[in-house]
Every structure is written in structure tokens, then in C-alpha cells.
Amino acid sequence: MIPRYTRPDMAAIWSPETRFRIWFEIEAHACDAMAELGVIPRQNAEAVWKAREAEFDVERIDEIEAVTKHDVIAFLTHLAEIIGDKEARFVHQGMTSSDVLDTAFNIQLTRAADLLLEDMDALLAALKRRAFEHKMDVRIGRSHGIHAEPVTMGLTFARFYAEMDRNRARLLQAREGVATGAISGAVGTFANIDPGVEKHVCAKLGLRPEPVSTQVIPRDRHAMFFATLGVIASSVENIATEIRHMQRTEVLEAEEHFSEGQKGSSAMPHKRNPVLTENLTGLARLVRSAVTPALENVTLWHERDISHSSVERGIGPDATVHLDFALARLTGVIDKLVVYPGNMKGNLDRLRGLVHSQQVLLALTQKGVSREHAYRMVQRNAMKAWEDDKDFLAELLADADVTAALSEAEIREKFDLEHHARHVDTIFGRVFGT
């Protein structure tokens, strides 16, 4: 985790202190369940909870692990140091390390997902507010980077809202997928531990028992989780790229807020660069870099190997931390985005009316002109505007073939911008509801 792109709440989920605290809770709840089943003495289970108020010494655990070369054993040794060897003798009974590691990892992922869902709620609120603010502000729509037909800035924000709303549903589903725990023993058969222990631990920690585990929880769950993070990151980049385009000098329909005292270039004092959205593009790449390793982690040898372990120690914190930062940054960008309706109008007029070509084409066909002939009539006048800086409306009015089919009033009617915004309310109803 790079401090520059790390927010405290998400970082805390992945801290050693949090990890060891979760491990402790798994072990303590397992002891409670075993005491309830009469497998271990009640007083031993109660003794484990003496460590509830203890601060686990990360340096001491690392010191023990340097000798044992095993992180869970190092933790259990330190736990025994806190509560006493005699009291700790039943801790971890019938369990395997992955029972602790995998269950804890899934708890961390669900907590991370909860923070990301909060981030997405804030972003959705910002996108909705800006969508309604600019609902009817007309701007040119583009395909292949070329002027196409008018849309509205509100529809642009609404489109991104709908995309993020889908992503929120995906993340909820992915969270549900990883919200499982396994306390099933060495190869998942419960040979040395009662399934009731797993049920109890999972209930206490907000998880569901894994229906069938080996020595590990199946990694297809985690693959879907990280793939979902990758999709969300791509949507972040999609929005960021549109903003970067809008901020180009030749476009300048919107730009990132430029704060007092901010500097855009060490060499050119005039520069106002889209640095935040460019940063978001880079962060999206980092999040997506976790997807392929997560997919490859699905394949493990037999009941378990540890080829996935080193991968998850990296991608778990890195992907969630980077996406958390990216969502928060994008929310700030949307909140403060400076929109220029005047420039949007100027860009609409740059092609001298060509954006209305389809309306004229359709009007001609409705008057009985074949589509092929109507297309040639409109295109030849459009090319004059494109190549010779002619006014498209004037050229149409001077074309005898066009005026033979359409009156001047009918031609001028097809240049009404309001025509392109007449169904905005319908689209908003679909996106935001009534």
C-alpha cells in the first residue's frame, strides 16, 4: 500500500493488528463452540477471552515467526504467552491454519466491500446531483471522436450513474460470494472438529459456512470478487476519460476544479491539466492488475497448496485500497467539476448545422424520396459545409431537389435543438425512477 493513495479506514482493515484481532476472535469463538459441545472445559474457553483486551505484539509475533517460519503458529504461541500455556492448550483444537487464514481473509474482504459500497453511494449521489443540475444543457454527442448528434450533459452524468449503479449491485453480489467461513479441519472433512463449531464461528462473525471446503475456501469466490473490483475500476476510468476529453483546450466543455494556489506545470504557468482524472486512469490499471492473478488462484493442487497465498497478501490490500482512493477522488472531481454551457453551445455550432443531417434525411424519406436518394441529397450539402465552411441550412435551402420535397419551414424545423432533448425525462425516469 502506497501512503499517497491510502485512506485510513481501508488501511486499518489490512493492518497486522486487525488481522491478528480477527484471528483471535475466530479462535475464541471456536473454543466457545467446543465448550458448548463438551469437547473442551468451559473454563478454558473463558480463559481465552482474557486476551480480548490485550494488545497483540506484532513485533513479538514476527520474532516468533522468524523461528517457526509459520505465521499462525507464531500467533498461537504469542496468544499462549498472554493467557498461559495451560489455559491455551485447547486453542485451535481440530483446526488447520487455513481455517483461520481463509475465514479472516473473507472477513477483511467483506469489510473492505462495505467501505467500497459507502464510496459508491457517495459517488452515485454526486452523479445524480450533477445529472439533474445539467439535465437539459445541450452538448454535442460524439462517435469515433467526431461530432454526431446533440445530447445533454445531464444524460452524460445519468449514463455514468446507471453504470455505477450496476457496479454497486455487482459488488453486493461479490461481497455475498466471499462472505463465507470454513472451520473444517485439515482437508475439510470435519474429521477432528464438529461442524457445529464452524456454524457457531460463522454466525458470530457475520459469515455463512462454506458448503464444501477442502483445506481452503474455493478461490472462484475470490476470483469473482477481484474481477468485480476490476470492472468498477474500468468504470472509474470510463468517467475519468470523458472528463479528460472534455477538458482538452479544443473542447473545454468541463474541467477539473483548479484550486487557489494550484500549479499545472513547472515550466508553463498557464497550464491547467486534468491531473486527477489522469491519476484515476492509472489507479484503474493497478486495480485491474489484480484480476488475472485472482483468476489464476482458482486452480490449486488437490486439497490445497499455497500458490495463492503470496498473491492474496498483495492484491487484497492493494486492490481495495486503490479502489477506495479512486472512488473517493472521483466523487470529489464530480462534485467540483466546472461545466461550461457556453462552450458546449459553441461546439454544437462548429459544424454549421451538420448535426441535424439525420433529421433532414428522415424528413425527405417521409415525403416519399427513396432513402438512397435522400442520403445523397443530404450528404452532398453536408460535404460543402464540411469542406468549404458553408452553412448547412443555407445549402439545403439552395438545393432544388431538397426544396422540391420540403418547404423552407419544414427544413428549418429540423434544426430545432429541443427535438433532441424531448425524451430526456423518459430516460431520467428509467435511471432515477419517478
Side-chain angles (χ1 to χ4, degrees):
M1 295 182 289
I2 301 173
R4 184 182 185 94
Y5 304 128
T6 303
R7 302 207 303 159
D9 288 349
M10 186 64 81
I13 290 173
W14 300 104
S15 71
E17 293 81 5
T18 299
R19 182 173 71 253
F20 294 138
R21 179 61 53 182
I22 296 171
W23 288 8
F24 164 73
E25 291 177 1
I26 292 168
E27 297 284 3
H29 286 306
C31 286
D32 279 346
M34 286 187 277
E36 189 69 25
L37 291 166
V39 176
I40 69 172
R42 168 56 62 187
Q43 61 266 30
N44 286 83
E46 292 173 353
V48 175
W49 286 104
K50 290 193 303 184
R52 187 201 300 266
E53 305 302 325
E55 291 291 334
F56 294 108
D57 188 336
V58 176
E59 290 185 4
R60 174 58 181 153
I61 296 171
D62 289 343
E63 179 183 286
I64 300 169
E65 186 181 353
V67 177
T68 63
K69 304 298 190 293
H70 196 292
D71 52 358
V72 175
I73 291 175
F75 168 75
L76 293 172
T77 301
H78 181 54
L79 179 60
E81 291 175 340
I82 295 173
I83 65 176
D85 287 336
K86 183 178 179 181
E87 289 80 359
R89 70 185 187 276
F90 296 114
V91 173
H92 204 69
Q93 180 162 294
M95 296 168 60
T96 189
S97 297
S98 292
D99 290 338
V100 178
L101 294 169
D102 282 12
T103 302
F105 187 48
N106 280 7
I107 290 170
Q108 289 174 298
L109 290 178
T110 56
R111 291 180 183 178
D114 289 339
L115 286 183
L116 293 173
L117 287 165
E118 291 178 9
D119 294 339
M120 297 187 78
D121 286 340
L123 176 57
L124 286 166
L127 288 168
K128 182 176 181 178
R129 179 177 65 80
R130 299 313 298 266
F132 278 91
E133 179 184 351
H134 297 286
K135 183 178 180 180
M136 292 299 183
D137 289 345
V138 181
R139 66 186 290 244
I140 187 62
R142 297 169 174 88
S143 56
H144 307 278
I146 308 301
H147 284 205
E149 291 190 349
V151 295
T152 75
M153 183 64 88
L155 286 177
T156 300
F157 285 120
R159 170 164 58 92
F160 293 140
Y161 177 97
E163 184 173 341
M164 275 299 169
D165 194 43
R166 292 191 296 273
N167 283 330
R168 190 185 191 284
R170 292 177 181 123
L171 183 55
L172 275 173
Q173 185 176 16
R175 183 200 185 282
E176 178 74 7
V178 295
T180 66
I183 311 292
S184 53
V187 290
T189 60
F190 299 100
N192 297 300
I193 192 167
D194 191 285
V197 176
E198 180 183 77
K199 182 178 180 181
H200 176 86
V201 172
C202 288
K204 289 293 184 181
L205 296 175
L207 304 175
R208 303 180 317 281
E210 181 63 43
V212 53
S213 58
T214 55
Q215 194 172 102
V216 295
I217 292 173
R219 257 43 194 184
D220 61 289
R221 296 184 180 276
H222 306 81
M224 181 56 70
F225 184 87
F226 286 101
T228 299
L229 300 191
V231 172
I232 296 171
S234 290
S235 292
V236 168
E237 184 180 13
N238 187 28
I239 299 172
T241 299
E242 178 65 17
I243 293 171
R244 290 170 62 190
H245 162 74
M246 288 193 288
Q247 190 162 336
R248 290 171 56 224
T249 306
E250 295 82 1
V251 179
L252 203 55
E253 294 177 355
E255 68 173 339
E256 296 174 9
H257 174 70
F258 196 80
S259 61
E260 185 177 353
Q262 183 175 344
K263 293 177 173 60
S265 167
S266 62
M268 296 168 283
H270 72 277
K271 294 296 293 295
R272 288 158 67 121
N273 302 327
V275 292
L276 300 179
T277 44
E278 288 175 346
N279 171 251
L280 288 172
T281 295
L283 289 171
R285 293 169 183 166
L286 286 174
V287 176
R288 285 196 300 267
S289 72
V291 177
T292 296
L295 293 171
E296 292 172 346
N297 278 353
V298 173
T299 303
L300 300 176
W301 284 22
H302 309 301
E303 278 61 53
R304 191 225 181 171
D305 65 54
I306 64 165
S307 59
H308 66 290
S309 176
S310 56
V311 175
E312 290 171 351
R313 290 174 192 267
I315 67 174
D318 285 352
T320 55
V321 163
H322 287 140
L323 187 55
D324 172 57
F325 184 90
L327 288 168
R329 168 154 286 182
L330 181 57
T331 299
V333 169
I334 297 298
D335 266 330
K336 295 182 179 181
L337 191 70
V338 182
V339 177
Y340 298 110
N343 289 351
M344 291 191 291
K345 179 63 167 61
N347 285 334
L348 273 168
D349 296 337
R350 284 188 64 183
L351 291 187
R352 297 163 296 282
L354 288 185
V355 296
H356 302 289
S357 68
Q358 182 177 189
Q359 287 302 107
V360 180
L361 169 66
L362 295 177
L364 288 168
T365 60
Q366 288 162 3
K367 289 290 187 175
V369 180
S370 73
R371 182 177 179 84
E372 185 65 26
H373 187 43
Y375 194 100
R376 286 198 300 270
M377 292 163 61
V378 174
Q379 187 180 46
R380 73 186 179 218
N381 289 289
M383 292 305 102
K384 293 177 186 177
W386 191 277
E387 297 168 359
D388 302 323
D389 291 336
K390 300 292 186 180
D391 181 78
F392 184 47
L393 175 59
E395 293 303 310
L396 290 170
L397 292 174
D399 189 311
D401 290 337
V402 175
T403 55
L406 298 171
S407 69
E408 179 178 344
E410 287 173 326
I411 296 172
R412 290 184 180 278
E413 179 191 8
K414 302 310 172 187
F415 284 70
D416 182 9
L417 280 176
E418 291 186 5
H419 172 83
H420 296 276
R422 61 198 177 112
H423 293 304
V424 168
D425 282 334
T426 298
I427 299 171
F428 267 55
R430 292 175 174 180
V431 174
F432 302 109
T434 56

